Amino acid sequence: GGASWTEKSTGLIAGQQIAISISESNPQILYASTVTEELNDTLSRIYKTTNGGDSWAELPGLSSNPNINHFLDGSVWRHNTIVVSPSDSNIVLAGGVTYVRSTNGGTTWNPPQFTNSPVHVDATDMRYQGATLYITNDGGIWSTNDNGNTATDRNATLATRQYYVLTSDPV
């Protein structure tokens, strides 16, 4: 119940901020996304554990791919989310400034298709409700019923705003 805690970070390199997702279909499998600074470059990293966090291993299929290894970019404090399909622990989507997806437990990563409605960048959260994945970002809300192959824009009736700066006039 949270009265005591045990650190479980063996193999996990601490980054600036870590997002974690637990597999509903197999709670021993967790995924974590973060960034590391290397030679003045911010590289996106995803780690996986299959033993409930006792040990973690980096999934090199992401960090070794120059087309997607910056998906978190420099705004990991704001745009860092990861989610595992509730029905298949091998399907993982992660979002940052852009999105990545694995359908084989993290061995390989590619951008999700999101055909028929491109999803806005700058992911802030991703959550499943049943088989539907909802994706929020600073452009609104999208959903996908097929783990990112297609997407539906849910913004038509929303009146939302995002403020980046606020100041007051002392007079």
Side-chain angles (χ1 to χ4, degrees), residues 52-63:
D54 286 332
S55 61
W56 294 84
E58 182 183 355
L59 299 172
L62 175 76
S63 59

Side-chain angles (χ1 to χ4, degrees), residues 114-129:
F114 294 138
T115 59
N116 75 307
S117 181
V119 176
H120 186 79
V121 296
D122 297 340
T124 53
D125 202 2
M126 293 190 290
R127 304 269 174 113
Y128 278 94
Q129 183 175 3

Side-chain angles (χ1 to χ4, degrees), residues 15-164:
Q16 296 178 12
Q17 181 174 346
I18 298 174
I20 294 178
S21 184
I22 302 170
S23 170
E24 189 176 318
S25 61
N26 182 350
Q28 291 296 302
I29 297 177
L30 292 82
Y31 294 86
S33 64
T34 190
V35 297
T36 57
E37 299 284 336
E38 296 179 22
L39 302 173
N40 296 322
D41 191 12
T42 304
L43 293 176
S44 302
R45 307 269 185 194
I46 294 182
Y47 296 85
K48 180 180 180 180
T49 179
T50 57
N51 56 19
D54 286 332
S55 61
W56 294 84
E58 182 183 355
L59 299 172
L62 175 76
S63 59
S64 64
N65 184 337
N67 295 319
I68 57 174
N69 65 5
H70 290 85
F71 82 94
L72 289 171
D73 203 21
S75 61
V76 68
W77 57 273
R78 177 179 162 88
H79 304 118
N80 183 6
T81 183
I82 190 165
V83 68
V84 183
S85 166
S87 60
D88 186 344
S89 62
N90 289 311
I91 298 174
V92 184
L93 286 94
V97 175
T98 59
Y99 301 89
V100 295
R101 175 179 67 171
S102 177
T103 57
N104 56 16
T107 302
T108 59
W109 296 86
N110 292 293
Q113 301 291 316
F114 294 138
T115 59
N116 75 307
S117 181
V119 176
H120 186 79
V121 296
D122 297 340
T124 53
D125 202 2
M126 293 190 290
R127 304 269 174 113
Y128 278 94
Q129 183 175 3
T132 302
L133 174 62
Y134 290 92
I135 302 164
T136 63
N137 49 54
D138 62 12
I141 301 172
W142 278 257
S143 67
T144 175
N145 292 320
D146 54 17
N147 301 305
N149 291 321
T150 61
T152 302
D153 185 332
R154 300 291 180 187
N155 296 296
T157 60
L158 296 180
T160 61
R161 300 289 182 269
Q162 178 178 4
Y163 297 98
Y164 286 97

